[in-house]
PDB file of all heavy atoms in Angstrom:
ATOM      1  N   ASN A  31      23.830  47.560  -8.415  1.00 90.00           N
ATOM      2  CA  ASN A  31      22.519  48.029  -7.999  1.00 90.00           C
ATOM      3  C   ASN A  31      21.542  47.882  -9.147  1.00 90.00           C
ATOM      4  O   ASN A  31      21.940  47.634 -10.289  1.00 90.00           O
ATOM      5  CB  ASN A  31      22.566  49.482  -7.511  1.00 90.00           C
ATOM      6  CG  ASN A  31      22.980  50.463  -8.594  1.00 90.00           C
ATOM      7  OD1 ASN A  31      22.220  50.714  -9.526  1.00 90.00           O
ATOM      8  ND2 ASN A  31      24.177  51.016  -8.477  1.00 90.00           N
ATOM      9  N   GLN A  33      17.938  49.765 -10.722  1.00 93.00           N
ATOM     10  CA  GLN A  33      17.154  50.995 -10.631  1.00 93.00           C
ATOM     11  C   GLN A  33      15.870  50.848 -11.447  1.00 93.00           C
ATOM     12  O   GLN A  33      15.857  50.149 -12.459  1.00 93.00           O
ATOM     13  CB  GLN A  33      17.979  52.180 -11.146  1.00 93.00           C
ATOM     14  CG  GLN A  33      19.305  52.331 -10.415  1.00 93.00           C
ATOM     15  CD  GLN A  33      20.130  53.497 -10.872  1.00 93.00           C
ATOM     16  OE1 GLN A  33      19.597  54.517 -11.283  1.00 93.00           O
ATOM     17  NE2 GLN A  33      21.450  53.360 -10.775  1.00 93.00           N
ATOM     18  N   TYR A  35      12.881  53.117 -13.428  1.00 95.00           N
ATOM     19  CA  TYR A  35      12.593  54.398 -14.048  1.00 95.00           C
ATOM     20  C   TYR A  35      11.179  54.371 -14.619  1.00 95.00           C
ATOM     21  O   TYR A  35      10.651  53.328 -14.992  1.00 95.00           O
ATOM     22  CB  TYR A  35      13.564  54.707 -15.199  1.00 95.00           C
ATOM     23  CG  TYR A  35      14.964  55.030 -14.759  1.00 95.00           C
ATOM     24  CD1 TYR A  35      15.859  54.024 -14.386  1.00 95.00           C
ATOM     25  CD2 TYR A  35      15.418  56.349 -14.719  1.00 95.00           C
ATOM     26  CE1 TYR A  35      17.150  54.321 -13.995  1.00 95.00           C
ATOM     27  CE2 TYR A  35      16.702  56.661 -14.342  1.00 95.00           C
ATOM     28  CZ  TYR A  35      17.563  55.643 -13.976  1.00 95.00           C
ATOM     29  OH  TYR A  35      18.848  55.949 -13.580  1.00 95.00           O
ATOM     30  N   GLN A  37       8.653  56.339 -17.573  1.00 95.00           N
ATOM     31  CA  GLN A  37       8.667  57.180 -18.764  1.00 95.00           C
ATOM     32  C   GLN A  37       7.239  57.398 -19.231  1.00 95.00           C
ATOM     33  O   GLN A  37       6.533  56.449 -19.597  1.00 95.00           O
ATOM     34  CB  GLN A  37       9.481  56.553 -19.887  1.00 95.00           C
ATOM     35  CG  GLN A  37       9.617  57.436 -21.109  1.00 95.00           C
ATOM     36  CD  GLN A  37      10.472  56.805 -22.194  1.00 95.00           C
ATOM     37  OE1 GLN A  37      10.436  55.598 -22.403  1.00 95.00           O
ATOM     38  NE2 GLN A  37      11.253  57.623 -22.899  1.00 95.00           N
ATOM     39  N   GLY A  40       6.443  59.683 -24.893  1.00 80.00           N
ATOM     40  CA  GLY A  40       7.154  60.721 -25.622  1.00 80.00           C
ATOM     41  C   GLY A  40       8.057  61.594 -24.775  1.00 80.00           C
ATOM     42  O   GLY A  40       8.555  62.608 -25.256  1.00 80.00           O
ATOM     43  N   ARG A  41       8.271  61.220 -23.523  1.00 84.00           N
ATOM     44  CA  ARG A  41       9.099  62.035 -22.626  1.00 84.00           C
ATOM     45  C   ARG A  41      10.370  61.281 -22.223  1.00 84.00           C
ATOM     46  O   ARG A  41      10.557  60.125 -22.543  1.00 84.00           O
ATOM     47  CB  ARG A  41       8.293  62.399 -21.372  1.00 84.00           C
ATOM     48  CG  ARG A  41       6.934  63.002 -21.633  1.00 84.00           C
ATOM     49  CD  ARG A  41       7.017  64.409 -22.168  1.00 84.00           C
ATOM     50  NE  ARG A  41       7.547  65.312 -21.171  1.00 84.00           N
ATOM     51  CZ  ARG A  41       6.811  65.939 -20.265  1.00 84.00           C
ATOM     52  NH1 ARG A  41       5.507  65.724 -20.201  1.00 84.00           N
ATOM     53  NH2 ARG A  41       7.367  66.764 -19.411  1.00 84.00           N
ATOM     54  N   GLY A  42      11.235  61.986 -21.494  1.00 87.00           N
ATOM     55  CA  GLY A  42      12.421  61.347 -20.959  1.00 87.00           C
ATOM     56  C   GLY A  42      12.087  60.486 -19.757  1.00 87.00           C
ATOM     57  O   GLY A  42      10.966  60.468 -19.270  1.00 87.00           O
ATOM     58  N   LEU A  43      13.082  59.757 -19.289  1.00 93.00           N
ATOM     59  CA  LEU A  43      12.879  58.863 -18.150  1.00 93.00           C
ATOM     60  C   LEU A  43      13.065  59.607 -16.833  1.00 93.00           C
ATOM     61  O   LEU A  43      13.889  60.516 -16.735  1.00 93.00           O
ATOM     62  CB  LEU A  43      13.863  57.698 -18.207  1.00 93.00           C
ATOM     63  CG  LEU A  43      13.523  56.576 -19.178  1.00 93.00           C
ATOM     64  CD1 LEU A  43      13.808  56.968 -20.611  1.00 93.00           C
ATOM     65  CD2 LEU A  43      14.288  55.317 -18.818  1.00 93.00           C
ATOM     66  N   HIS A  45      13.871  58.895 -12.789  1.00 93.00           N
ATOM     67  CA  HIS A  45      14.351  57.915 -11.823  1.00 93.00           C
ATOM     68  C   HIS A  45      13.359  57.767 -10.679  1.00 93.00           C
ATOM     69  O   HIS A  45      12.866  58.757 -10.134  1.00 93.00           O
ATOM     70  CB  HIS A  45      15.706  58.373 -11.271  1.00 93.00           C
ATOM     71  CG  HIS A  45      16.320  57.409 -10.317  1.00 93.00           C
ATOM     72  ND1 HIS A  45      16.125  57.477  -8.954  1.00 93.00           N
ATOM     73  CD2 HIS A  45      17.117  56.341 -10.519  1.00 93.00           C
ATOM     74  CE1 HIS A  45      16.781  56.507  -8.363  1.00 93.00           C
ATOM     75  NE2 HIS A  45      17.394  55.800  -9.291  1.00 93.00           N
ATOM     76  N   LEU A  48      16.410  53.357  -6.411  1.00 93.00           N
ATOM     77  CA  LEU A  48      17.623  52.555  -6.580  1.00 93.00           C
ATOM     78  C   LEU A  48      17.712  51.581  -5.412  1.00 93.00           C
ATOM     79  O   LEU A  48      17.517  51.991  -4.260  1.00 93.00           O
ATOM     80  CB  LEU A  48      18.849  53.464  -6.623  1.00 93.00           C
ATOM     81  CG  LEU A  48      20.248  52.828  -6.764  1.00 93.00           C
ATOM     82  CD1 LEU A  48      21.198  53.834  -7.416  1.00 93.00           C
ATOM     83  CD2 LEU A  48      20.820  52.393  -5.426  1.00 93.00           C
ATOM     84  N   ARG A  50      20.380  48.689  -3.808  1.00 92.00           N
ATOM     85  CA  ARG A  50      21.731  48.152  -3.913  1.00 92.00           C
ATOM     86  C   ARG A  50      21.701  46.629  -3.790  1.00 92.00           C
ATOM     87  O   ARG A  50      20.757  46.045  -3.266  1.00 92.00           O
ATOM     88  CB  ARG A  50      22.623  48.761  -2.825  1.00 92.00           C
ATOM     89  CG  ARG A  50      22.805  50.254  -2.963  1.00 92.00           C
ATOM     90  CD  ARG A  50      23.788  50.810  -1.945  1.00 92.00           C
ATOM     91  NE  ARG A  50      23.882  52.255  -2.041  1.00 92.00           N
ATOM     92  CZ  ARG A  50      23.067  53.108  -1.439  1.00 92.00           C
ATOM     93  NH1 ARG A  50      22.093  52.662  -0.688  1.00 92.00           N
ATOM     94  NH2 ARG A  50      23.225  54.400  -1.604  1.00 92.00           N
ATOM     95  N   PHE A  88      10.696  50.919 -16.497  1.00 95.00           N
ATOM     96  CA  PHE A  88      11.895  50.195 -16.900  1.00 95.00           C
ATOM     97  C   PHE A  88      12.757  49.877 -15.693  1.00 95.00           C
ATOM     98  O   PHE A  88      12.915  50.712 -14.801  1.00 95.00           O
ATOM     99  CB  PHE A  88      12.740  51.026 -17.870  1.00 95.00           C
ATOM    100  CG  PHE A  88      12.041  51.371 -19.153  1.00 95.00           C
ATOM    101  CD1 PHE A  88      11.332  52.550 -19.278  1.00 95.00           C
ATOM    102  CD2 PHE A  88      12.122  50.525 -20.247  1.00 95.00           C
ATOM    103  CE1 PHE A  88      10.696  52.875 -20.461  1.00 95.00           C
ATOM    104  CE2 PHE A  88      11.500  50.848 -21.436  1.00 95.00           C
ATOM    105  CZ  PHE A  88      10.784  52.030 -21.549  1.00 95.00           C
ATOM    106  N   ASP A  92      23.019  48.126 -13.053  1.00 84.00           N
ATOM    107  CA  ASP A  92      24.323  48.755 -12.994  1.00 84.00           C
ATOM    108  C   ASP A  92      25.285  47.690 -12.504  1.00 84.00           C
ATOM    109  O   ASP A  92      25.263  47.301 -11.337  1.00 84.00           O
ATOM    110  CB  ASP A  92      24.261  49.946 -12.025  1.00 84.00           C
ATOM    111  CG  ASP A  92      25.527  50.785 -12.069  1.00 84.00           C
ATOM    112  OD1 ASP A  92      26.421  50.486 -12.887  1.00 84.00           O
ATOM    113  OD2 ASP A  92      25.630  51.739 -11.264  1.00 84.00           O
ATOM    114  N   ASN A  97      27.950  48.395 -19.186  1.00 74.00           N
ATOM    115  CA  ASN A  97      27.187  49.632 -19.291  1.00 74.00           C
ATOM    116  C   ASN A  97      25.801  49.456 -18.708  1.00 74.00           C
ATOM    117  O   ASN A  97      25.279  48.356 -18.605  1.00 74.00           O
ATOM    118  CB  ASN A  97      27.088  50.059 -20.747  1.00 74.00           C
ATOM    119  CG  ASN A  97      28.458  50.265 -21.356  1.00 74.00           C
ATOM    120  OD1 ASN A  97      29.266  50.965 -20.792  1.00 74.00           O
ATOM    121  ND2 ASN A  97      28.698  49.652 -22.490  1.00 74.00           N
ATOM    122  N   PHE A  98      25.225  50.567 -18.343  1.00 79.00           N
ATOM    123  CA  PHE A  98      23.873  50.612 -17.828  1.00 79.00           C
ATOM    124  C   PHE A  98      22.946  49.967 -18.853  1.00 79.00           C
ATOM    125  O   PHE A  98      22.922  50.366 -20.000  1.00 79.00           O
ATOM    126  CB  PHE A  98      23.492  52.082 -17.644  1.00 79.00           C
ATOM    127  CG  PHE A  98      22.752  52.364 -16.396  1.00 79.00           C
ATOM    128  CD1 PHE A  98      23.316  52.090 -15.172  1.00 79.00           C
ATOM    129  CD2 PHE A  98      21.506  52.947 -16.434  1.00 79.00           C
ATOM    130  CE1 PHE A  98      22.648  52.373 -14.001  1.00 79.00           C
ATOM    131  CE2 PHE A  98      20.843  53.240 -15.270  1.00 79.00           C
ATOM    132  CZ  PHE A  98      21.399  52.955 -14.058  1.00 79.00           C
ATOM    133  N   PHE A 100      19.065  48.735 -19.849  1.00 89.00           N
ATOM    134  CA  PHE A 100      17.622  48.819 -19.612  1.00 89.00           C
ATOM    135  C   PHE A 100      16.901  47.644 -20.245  1.00 89.00           C
ATOM    136  O   PHE A 100      17.285  47.156 -21.299  1.00 89.00           O
ATOM    137  CB  PHE A 100      17.057  50.104 -20.226  1.00 89.00           C
ATOM    138  CG  PHE A 100      17.418  51.354 -19.474  1.00 89.00           C
ATOM    139  CD1 PHE A 100      18.621  51.993 -19.702  1.00 89.00           C
ATOM    140  CD2 PHE A 100      16.532  51.894 -18.549  1.00 89.00           C
ATOM    141  CE1 PHE A 100      18.952  53.160 -19.006  1.00 89.00           C
ATOM    142  CE2 PHE A 100      16.843  53.052 -17.853  1.00 89.00           C
ATOM    143  CZ  PHE A 100      18.056  53.671 -18.088  1.00 89.00           C
ATOM    144  N   GLY A 101      15.829  47.224 -19.581  1.00 87.00           N
ATOM    145  CA  GLY A 101      14.952  46.240 -20.183  1.00 87.00           C
ATOM    146  C   GLY A 101      13.971  46.900 -21.142  1.00 87.00           C
ATOM    147  O   GLY A 101      13.980  48.125 -21.290  1.00 87.00           O
ATOM    148  N   PRO A 102      13.116  46.110 -21.784  1.00 89.00           N
ATOM    149  CA  PRO A 102      12.151  46.652 -22.751  1.00 89.00           C
ATOM    150  C   PRO A 102      10.967  47.357 -22.102  1.00 89.00           C
ATOM    151  O   PRO A 102      10.206  48.043 -22.784  1.00 89.00           O
ATOM    152  CB  PRO A 102      11.693  45.415 -23.512  1.00 89.00           C
ATOM    153  CG  PRO A 102      11.906  44.280 -22.585  1.00 89.00           C
ATOM    154  CD  PRO A 102      13.108  44.646 -21.745  1.00 89.00           C
TER     155      PRO A 102
ATOM    156  N   TYR B  35      21.828  57.661 -25.204  1.00 95.00           N
ATOM    157  CA  TYR B  35      21.063  56.455 -25.485  1.00 95.00           C
ATOM    158  C   TYR B  35      20.206  56.691 -26.728  1.00 95.00           C
ATOM    159  O   TYR B  35      19.873  57.829 -27.061  1.00 95.00           O
ATOM    160  CB  TYR B  35      20.113  56.128 -24.318  1.00 95.00           C
ATOM    161  CG  TYR B  35      20.764  55.741 -23.022  1.00 95.00           C
ATOM    162  CD1 TYR B  35      21.110  56.719 -22.088  1.00 95.00           C
ATOM    163  CD2 TYR B  35      21.023  54.419 -22.714  1.00 95.00           C
ATOM    164  CE1 TYR B  35      21.685  56.376 -20.882  1.00 95.00           C
ATOM    165  CE2 TYR B  35      21.607  54.063 -21.496  1.00 95.00           C
ATOM    166  CZ  TYR B  35      21.933  55.053 -20.601  1.00 95.00           C
ATOM    167  OH  TYR B  35      22.517  54.707 -19.399  1.00 95.00           O
ATOM    168  N   GLN B  37      16.468  55.272 -28.322  1.00 95.00           N
ATOM    169  CA  GLN B  37      15.284  54.524 -27.963  1.00 95.00           C
ATOM    170  C   GLN B  37      14.311  54.499 -29.135  1.00 95.00           C
ATOM    171  O   GLN B  37      13.967  55.547 -29.690  1.00 95.00           O
ATOM    172  CB  GLN B  37      14.592  55.144 -26.744  1.00 95.00           C
ATOM    173  CG  GLN B  37      13.409  54.341 -26.229  1.00 95.00           C
ATOM    174  CD  GLN B  37      12.752  54.945 -25.010  1.00 95.00           C
ATOM    175  OE1 GLN B  37      12.800  56.149 -24.817  1.00 95.00           O
ATOM    176  NE2 GLN B  37      12.151  54.118 -24.173  1.00 95.00           N
ATOM    177  N   GLY B  40       8.507  51.348 -28.222  1.00 87.00           N
ATOM    178  CA  GLY B  40       8.227  50.096 -27.550  1.00 87.00           C
ATOM    179  C   GLY B  40       9.426  49.412 -26.937  1.00 87.00           C
ATOM    180  O   GLY B  40       9.308  48.295 -26.410  1.00 87.00           O
ATOM    181  N   GLN B  41      10.576  50.055 -26.992  1.00 90.00           N
ATOM    182  CA  GLN B  41      11.799  49.470 -26.460  1.00 90.00           C
ATOM    183  C   GLN B  41      12.381  50.338 -25.352  1.00 90.00           C
ATOM    184  O   GLN B  41      12.068  51.522 -25.242  1.00 90.00           O
ATOM    185  CB  GLN B  41      12.838  49.301 -27.576  1.00 90.00           C
ATOM    186  CG  GLN B  41      12.398  48.369 -28.683  1.00 90.00           C
ATOM    187  CD  GLN B  41      12.160  46.952 -28.181  1.00 90.00           C
ATOM    188  OE1 GLN B  41      12.956  46.396 -27.440  1.00 90.00           O
ATOM    189  NE2 GLN B  41      11.037  46.376 -28.558  1.00 90.00           N
ATOM    190  N   GLY B  42      13.252  49.738 -24.571  1.00 91.00           N
ATOM    191  CA  GLY B  42      13.963  50.515 -23.584  1.00 91.00           C
ATOM    192  C   GLY B  42      15.124  51.261 -24.208  1.00 91.00           C
ATOM    193  O   GLY B  42      15.511  50.977 -25.353  1.00 91.00           O
ATOM    194  N   PRO B  43      15.688  52.210 -23.499  1.00 92.00           N
ATOM    195  CA  PRO B  43      16.853  52.931 -24.023  1.00 92.00           C
ATOM    196  C   PRO B  43      18.018  51.977 -24.281  1.00 92.00           C
ATOM    197  O   PRO B  43      18.292  51.083 -23.483  1.00 92.00           O
ATOM    198  CB  PRO B  43      17.184  53.914 -22.900  1.00 92.00           C
ATOM    199  CG  PRO B  43      15.921  54.063 -22.133  1.00 92.00           C
ATOM    200  CD  PRO B  43      15.254  52.733 -22.201  1.00 92.00           C
ATOM    201  N   PHE B  45      22.057  51.784 -24.866  1.00 91.00           N
ATOM    202  CA  PHE B  45      23.284  52.534 -24.606  1.00 91.00           C
ATOM    203  C   PHE B  45      24.065  52.801 -25.890  1.00 91.00           C
ATOM    204  O   PHE B  45      24.253  51.895 -26.719  1.00 91.00           O
ATOM    205  CB  PHE B  45      24.157  51.755 -23.632  1.00 91.00           C
ATOM    206  CG  PHE B  45      25.536  52.313 -23.461  1.00 91.00           C
ATOM    207  CD1 PHE B  45      25.770  53.382 -22.608  1.00 91.00           C
ATOM    208  CD2 PHE B  45      26.609  51.770 -24.153  1.00 91.00           C
ATOM    209  CE1 PHE B  45      27.049  53.892 -22.442  1.00 91.00           C
ATOM    210  CE2 PHE B  45      27.888  52.276 -24.001  1.00 91.00           C
ATOM    211  CZ  PHE B  45      28.106  53.336 -23.140  1.00 91.00           C
ATOM    212  N   GLU B  56      33.479  54.775 -23.125  1.00 85.00           N
ATOM    213  CA  GLU B  56      32.868  53.573 -23.659  1.00 85.00           C
ATOM    214  C   GLU B  56      32.001  53.931 -24.843  1.00 85.00           C
ATOM    215  O   GLU B  56      31.341  54.968 -24.861  1.00 85.00           O
ATOM    216  CB  GLU B  56      32.010  52.893 -22.586  1.00 85.00           C
ATOM    217  CG  GLU B  56      31.507  51.503 -22.962  1.00 85.00           C
ATOM    218  CD  GLU B  56      32.599  50.461 -22.941  1.00 85.00           C
ATOM    219  OE1 GLU B  56      33.507  50.565 -22.106  1.00 85.00           O
ATOM    220  OE2 GLU B  56      32.531  49.524 -23.763  1.00 85.00           O
ATOM    221  N   MET B  89      14.354  58.132 -30.873  1.00 96.00           N
ATOM    222  CA  MET B  89      14.512  59.166 -29.858  1.00 96.00           C
ATOM    223  C   MET B  89      15.923  59.044 -29.307  1.00 96.00           C
ATOM    224  O   MET B  89      16.344  57.942 -28.945  1.00 96.00           O
ATOM    225  CB  MET B  89      13.490  58.970 -28.729  1.00 96.00           C
ATOM    226  CG  MET B  89      13.645  59.931 -27.581  1.00 96.00           C
ATOM    227  SD  MET B  89      12.982  61.554 -27.960  1.00 96.00           S
ATOM    228  CE  MET B  89      11.277  61.290 -27.410  1.00 96.00           C
ATOM    229  N   LEU B  91      18.332  60.051 -26.346  1.00 96.00           N
ATOM    230  CA  LEU B  91      18.249  60.521 -24.971  1.00 96.00           C
ATOM    231  C   LEU B  91      19.630  60.770 -24.406  1.00 96.00           C
ATOM    232  O   LEU B  91      20.561  60.014 -24.639  1.00 96.00           O
ATOM    233  CB  LEU B  91      17.542  59.477 -24.099  1.00 96.00           C
ATOM    234  CG  LEU B  91      16.084  59.186 -24.433  1.00 96.00           C
ATOM    235  CD1 LEU B  91      15.617  57.907 -23.734  1.00 96.00           C
ATOM    236  CD2 LEU B  91      15.194  60.348 -24.023  1.00 96.00           C
ATOM    237  N   GLY B 100      27.476  55.632  -3.517  1.00 64.00           N
ATOM    238  CA  GLY B 100      26.088  55.273  -3.269  1.00 64.00           C
ATOM    239  C   GLY B 100      25.334  54.793  -4.484  1.00 64.00           C
ATOM    240  O   GLY B 100      24.267  54.207  -4.355  1.00 64.00           O
ATOM    241  N   ASN B 102      24.541  55.341  -9.009  1.00 77.00           N
ATOM    242  CA  ASN B 102      24.708  56.057 -10.274  1.00 77.00           C
ATOM    243  C   ASN B 102      23.326  56.389 -10.834  1.00 77.00           C
ATOM    244  O   ASN B 102      22.941  55.903 -11.886  1.00 77.00           O
ATOM    245  CB  ASN B 102      25.493  55.167 -11.243  1.00 77.00           C
ATOM    246  CG  ASN B 102      25.768  55.845 -12.558  1.00 77.00           C
ATOM    247  OD1 ASN B 102      25.648  57.049 -12.674  1.00 77.00           O
ATOM    248  ND2 ASN B 102      26.111  55.062 -13.557  1.00 77.00           N
ATOM    249  N   GLU B 103      22.593  57.215 -10.087  1.00 86.00           N
ATOM    250  CA  GLU B 103      21.265  57.612 -10.523  1.00 86.00           C
ATOM    251  C   GLU B 103      21.414  58.543 -11.727  1.00 86.00           C
ATOM    252  O   GLU B 103      22.138  59.543 -11.639  1.00 86.00           O
ATOM    253  CB  GLU B 103      20.533  58.314  -9.395  1.00 86.00           C
ATOM    254  CG  GLU B 103      19.200  58.903  -9.798  1.00 86.00           C
ATOM    255  CD  GLU B 103      18.607  59.754  -8.692  1.00 86.00           C
ATOM    256  OE1 GLU B 103      19.076  59.649  -7.547  1.00 86.00           O
ATOM    257  OE2 GLU B 103      17.677  60.532  -8.978  1.00 86.00           O
ATOM    258  N   GLN B 104      20.741  58.220 -12.776  1.00 90.00           N
ATOM    259  CA  GLN B 104      20.846  59.007 -13.996  1.00 90.00           C
ATOM    260  C   GLN B 104      19.639  59.929 -14.134  1.00 90.00           C
ATOM    261  O   GLN B 104      18.511  59.533 -13.905  1.00 90.00           O
ATOM    262  CB  GLN B 104      20.959  58.102 -15.218  1.00 90.00           C
ATOM    263  CG  GLN B 104      22.212  57.248 -15.171  1.00 90.00           C
ATOM    264  CD  GLN B 104      22.505  56.534 -16.455  1.00 90.00           C
ATOM    265  OE1 GLN B 104      21.957  56.849 -17.513  1.00 90.00           O
ATOM    266  NE2 GLN B 104      23.384  55.550 -16.393  1.00 90.00           N
ATOM    267  N   PHE B 106      17.633  62.122 -16.831  1.00 94.00           N
ATOM    268  CA  PHE B 106      17.447  62.133 -18.280  1.00 94.00           C
ATOM    269  C   PHE B 106      16.890  63.459 -18.763  1.00 94.00           C
ATOM    270  O   PHE B 106      16.065  64.093 -18.111  1.00 94.00           O
ATOM    271  CB  PHE B 106      16.502  61.022 -18.721  1.00 94.00           C
ATOM    272  CG  PHE B 106      17.128  59.678 -18.784  1.00 94.00           C
ATOM    273  CD1 PHE B 106      17.317  58.924 -17.639  1.00 94.00           C
ATOM    274  CD2 PHE B 106      17.573  59.161 -20.001  1.00 94.00           C
ATOM    275  CE1 PHE B 106      17.923  57.684 -17.700  1.00 94.00           C
ATOM    276  CE2 PHE B 106      18.171  57.913 -20.073  1.00 94.00           C
ATOM    277  CZ  PHE B 106      18.349  57.174 -18.916  1.00 94.00           C
ATOM    278  N   GLY B 107      17.353  63.845 -19.953  1.00 95.00           N
ATOM    279  CA  GLY B 107      16.746  64.954 -20.646  1.00 95.00           C
ATOM    280  C   GLY B 107      15.485  64.513 -21.374  1.00 95.00           C
ATOM    281  O   GLY B 107      15.143  63.320 -21.367  1.00 95.00           O
ATOM    282  N   PRO B 108      14.774  65.450 -21.997  1.00 94.00           N
ATOM    283  CA  PRO B 108      13.504  65.132 -22.663  1.00 94.00           C
ATOM    284  C   PRO B 108      13.687  64.379 -23.978  1.00 94.00           C
ATOM    285  O   PRO B 108      12.713  63.854 -24.512  1.00 94.00           O
ATOM    286  CB  PRO B 108      12.879  66.502 -22.895  1.00 94.00           C
ATOM    287  CG  PRO B 108      14.047  67.422 -22.998  1.00 94.00           C
ATOM    288  CD  PRO B 108      15.079  66.882 -22.064  1.00 94.00           C
TER     289      PRO B 108
END
Side-chain angles (χ1 to χ4, degrees):
Chain A
N31 63 71
Q33 304 181 31
Y35 289 78
Q37 184 178 36
R41 309 288 293 272
L43 281 76
H45 182 268
L48 179 154
R50 296 185 183 85
F88 298 92
D92 189 4
N97 301 309
F98 222 60
F100 286 84
Chain B
Y35 294 89
Q37 186 179 28
Q41 298 298 314
F45 170 82
E56 190 73 33
M89 176 78 89
L91 295 166
N102 183 16
E103 174 188 345
Q104 297 191 15
F106 281 80

